[in-house]
Amino acid sequence: MTSTSTPPGLARFNALQEQAAFTALHEACASTAWASRLLAARPYATPEDLYAASDAATADLTTEDLEEAMAGHPPIGRPKPGDPTSAREQRGMAGAPEDLEAQMLELNLAYQERFGHVFLICATGRTGEQMRDAVKERIGNSPEQEREIVRTELGKINRIRLARLVEED
């Protein structure tokens, strides 16, 4: 049976005051341009409409907008203290052996030196080893290739965070 009513979490998001909605979006993605674009398209009839708007906004981010978005993400293996979102997303590194933690620290620093920003990957559901292997593989990319991979990974992260925002009761 298909429901035509807006899911409660999405209805609550649609009803938020503009500043509260912007804050919620900005917590999902640190790009002001992305959050502003999603805010301007409210109300959303379905979560899928919101996700499609997010995908379109992510695709249109400038290099500067991407840099702003990436600045909101802590390095893999070092979630922001007191931030349950980054801790949950980086669960694959929780309790990792010391040698894996040391490898990730070294790889994160090498990646950041090469590209000028944090290594961004949709860490949800990935093991520490998978994330280590991904940074090893991606560090050889050109800056242009890496920017597009980052854009794709950011889009995945944004969808997961938006789903949590509008599907929670």
Side-chain angles (χ1 to χ4, degrees):
M1 182 170 174
T2 306
S3 172
T4 56
S5 67
T6 303
L10 182 59
R12 185 175 52 252
F13 171 72
N14 284 334
L16 287 174
Q17 294 294 324
E18 189 163 325
Q19 187 57 50
F22 179 84
T23 299
L25 289 168
H26 203 257
E27 286 173 7
C29 178
S31 165
T32 301
W34 178 87
S36 296
R37 184 162 167 186
L38 267 64
L39 185 63
R42 283 192 317 159
Y44 294 97
T46 67
E48 291 71 28
D49 292 341
L50 175 62
Y51 307 148
S54 172
D55 292 346
T58 302
D60 288 345
L61 293 177
T62 65
T63 298
E64 293 77 21
D65 296 333
L66 272 174
E67 288 171 4
E68 182 183 30
M70 286 183 290
H73 291 268
I76 296 294
R78 292 186 291 165
K80 290 179 194 168
D83 180 359
T85 299
S86 71
R88 179 178 49 246
E89 291 171 350
Q90 293 194 27
R91 190 176 354 217
M93 284 298 296
E98 279 186 35
D99 65 321
L100 180 57
E101 286 182 0
Q103 287 175 46
M104 280 305 296
L105 176 60
E106 187 177 315
L107 288 164
N108 276 327
L109 291 172
Y111 179 96
Q112 193 155 353
E113 187 172 309
R114 172 153 167 70
F115 294 108
H117 57 77
V118 70
F119 171 69
L120 188 73
I121 189 168
C122 183
T124 301
R126 292 183 188 251
T127 66
E129 291 81 2
Q130 289 171 324
M131 290 183 270
R132 176 203 57 211
D133 294 348
V135 71
K136 280 182 173 181
E137 180 181 313
R138 287 173 46 190
I139 203 162
N141 288 340
S142 71
E144 296 75 23
Q145 288 172 305
E146 195 54 23
R147 191 169 29 259
E148 288 316 304
I149 292 170
V150 163
R151 185 183 304 277
T152 299
E153 294 298 310
L154 180 65
K156 293 176 194 175
I157 295 165
N158 291 348
R159 275 181 166 255
I160 290 167
R161 290 180 175 184
L162 287 172
R164 196 167 283 117
L165 175 69
V166 301
E167 293 173 6
E168 289 179 342
D169 278 332

